[in-house]
Amino acid sequence: MPSSTPRAVHPGAWWLWAIGLAVAVSQTTNPLVLLLAAAAVTFVVMARRSDSPWARAFTLYAVLGGFIIALRLVLHVLVGLKWGEVLLLPLPEIDLPSWAAGINLLGDLRLEGLLAALFEGMRLAAMILCVGAANALADPKRLLAALPGALQEIGTAIVVAISVAPQLAESARRVHRARLLRGDGARGLRAVARVAMPVLEDTLERSMALAASMDSRGYGRRGETSPARHRTTGALTLGGLLGMAVGSYGILDTSSPEWVGLPLLLLGVLLGALGLASGSSAVSRTTYRPSPWRLPETITALCGVLAALAAFASAHWEPSTLTMPLSPIGPPPLPWLLTLGLLVAILPAVLTPAPPLTRERDRARRITTTEGSHP
């Protein structure tokens, strides 16, 4: 059962949950499954996101997903492979030069090809929505503090990169509020032209302030290490990466020897872990109020892993249900294993503690409670 005390869930748990869902979504183009995955992700985000700036960026990821679907359909109409039997719209076909042979510009638009392009766009949009969910639920600064010391520089770059969308959303909100206070209610393209520069300037100032605060706290600074330690860490990390790459190839290629697959992959994971441990020992740092990993975090991560395993199990036991029949067109089947995995992925919405209230929400709740108790 979730704790009754509000607290922030470990950001690593949310990212493991989101990555598991993204892996599950990548295995299918079934529209029913994709819509169910999008609904599950949205439900968990609405139930467990805070009112922090990065939590408001989920809407931007949803808009980006819709844009990707529309762009995928437009590209199919322009240069996509037109196939199928049901003719939707007869369009002229434009001949291209010889250096562009094999590319058809326009041409008759057919239903089967258009649906295939739609489902491919939906799959990519669902994967982006999973990443947006992790960004909305996990505090990027707490994620940086939870990373191993060896990944500090890479983690800093990643955290700054994933913080761009939340900072843009917060800057746009602040600029919009300032415009309303000044009586500027312009909308449309004229409003975009007026808002773009202040938003970019505000985002740049916040990024510079973040970089300055991180530098003042010693991010990226290392202690004295011997050249032998540097060589050992580099050799272990490189060996781990090579082992994981070759091992993954061996698992995917059934004609490879048995020792090239899982054994080499496990050896690569072991060497990579040793490299991270060796590199982390050279970094001395302290963390104020570190994020705990408790039962809710374990449940959240397992829900994402189970969703990914359910997708792989469906690909093995019921592969025909992962795609919608298009030749001829038929109703989309329902993969029971993957559907069950996506339903399990909703459990963090009720099995994790509620996010803590910010000062503004806490003050508003107290005022509401006081007004309600004194009629």
Side-chain angles (χ1 to χ4, degrees):
M1 297 298 294
S3 174
S4 57
T5 303
R7 69 175 179 89
V9 178
H10 195 288
W14 285 126
W15 273 102
L16 290 175
W17 170 80
I19 290 174
L21 281 176
V23 171
V25 166
S26 67
Q27 302 298 312
T28 179
T29 55
N30 190 320
L32 290 181
V33 177
L34 296 176
L35 291 176
L36 178 60
V41 168
T42 304
F43 179 77
V44 175
V45 170
M46 293 296 106
R48 284 297 177 260
R49 72 172 178 177
S50 62
D51 60 347
S52 55
W54 57 85
R56 303 188 189 102
F58 182 73
T59 304
L60 296 181
Y61 286 94
V63 173
L64 178 61
F67 173 76
I68 288 176
I69 294 176
L71 180 62
R72 183 66 180 85
L73 293 176
V74 171
L75 290 177
H76 174 77
V77 174
L78 293 178
V79 296
L81 177 62
K82 313 301 190 300
W83 63 276
E85 299 180 356
V86 181
L87 180 62
L88 289 179
L89 182 64
L91 296 175
E93 185 172 350
I94 301 177
D95 296 331
L96 297 178
S98 58
W99 55 267
I103 301 178
N104 298 324
L105 187 60
L106 296 179
D108 294 341
L109 185 62
R110 301 185 179 274
L111 178 60
E112 291 84 351
L114 186 64
L115 288 178
L118 172 64
F119 300 151
E120 289 289 343
M122 289 178 61
R123 175 167 62 177
L124 182 56
M127 296 174 65
I128 290 178
L129 201 64
C130 294
V131 176
N135 202 5
L137 295 170
D139 186 345
K141 298 179 182 178
R142 296 173 68 92
L143 177 63
L144 177 61
L147 289 177
L151 300 177
Q152 197 169 29
E153 289 84 359
I154 299 177
T156 301
I158 294 176
V159 168
V160 171
I162 65 178
S163 301
V164 170
Q167 288 184 4
L168 282 175
E170 179 65 14
S171 298
R173 184 168 173 265
R174 293 171 59 185
V175 172
H176 178 67
R177 188 189 303 121
R179 289 177 60 247
L180 292 180
L181 291 176
R182 294 184 177 93
D184 186 1
R187 296 179 179 273
L189 295 178
R190 184 175 57 179
V192 172
R194 296 179 181 179
V195 169
M197 188 57 66
V199 167
L200 292 178
E201 182 180 359
D202 185 68
T203 303
L204 180 60
E205 291 180 356
R206 292 164 65 89
S207 300
M208 294 299 293
L210 175 61
S213 64
M214 293 171 65
D215 182 69
S216 64
R217 289 170 173 82
Y219 279 97
R221 298 176 184 176
R222 294 179 175 269
E224 294 293 334
T225 56
S226 62
R229 170 64 66 85
H230 279 293
R231 289 193 294 269
T232 302
T233 303
L236 289 174
T237 304
L238 180 60
L241 292 175
L242 290 176
M244 286 185 285
V246 178
S248 301
Y249 175 80
I251 292 177
L252 296 175
D253 186 8
T254 57
S255 61
S256 301
E258 295 183 358
W259 63 270
V260 177
L262 184 60
L264 197 57
L265 177 61
L266 295 178
L267 179 61
V269 172
L270 177 60
L271 292 177
L274 293 176
L276 286 179
S278 177
S280 300
S281 62
V283 179
S284 178
R285 64 174 183 174
T286 58
T287 302
Y288 176 67
R289 298 176 63 183
S291 302
W293 188 283
R294 299 171 182 167
L295 182 59
E297 282 78 8
T298 303
I299 293 176
T300 301
L302 284 178
C303 288
V305 173
L306 289 177
L309 292 178
F312 290 120
S314 295
H316 180 74
W317 296 105
E318 44 183 5
S320 60
T321 61
L322 297 181
T323 57
M324 176 177 173
L326 295 176
S327 184
I329 298 178
L334 186 64
W336 294 106
L337 291 175
L338 184 51
T339 301
L340 181 60
L342 294 177
L343 292 178
V344 170
I346 304 178
L347 294 179
V350 295
L351 297 182
T352 56
L357 296 176
T358 60
R359 293 180 180 179
E360 294 181 0
R361 289 179 60 187
D362 193 14
R363 188 183 301 110
R365 187 186 65 172
R366 291 178 181 178
I367 293 175
T368 304
T369 304
T370 304
E371 293 177 352
S373 59
H374 296 82

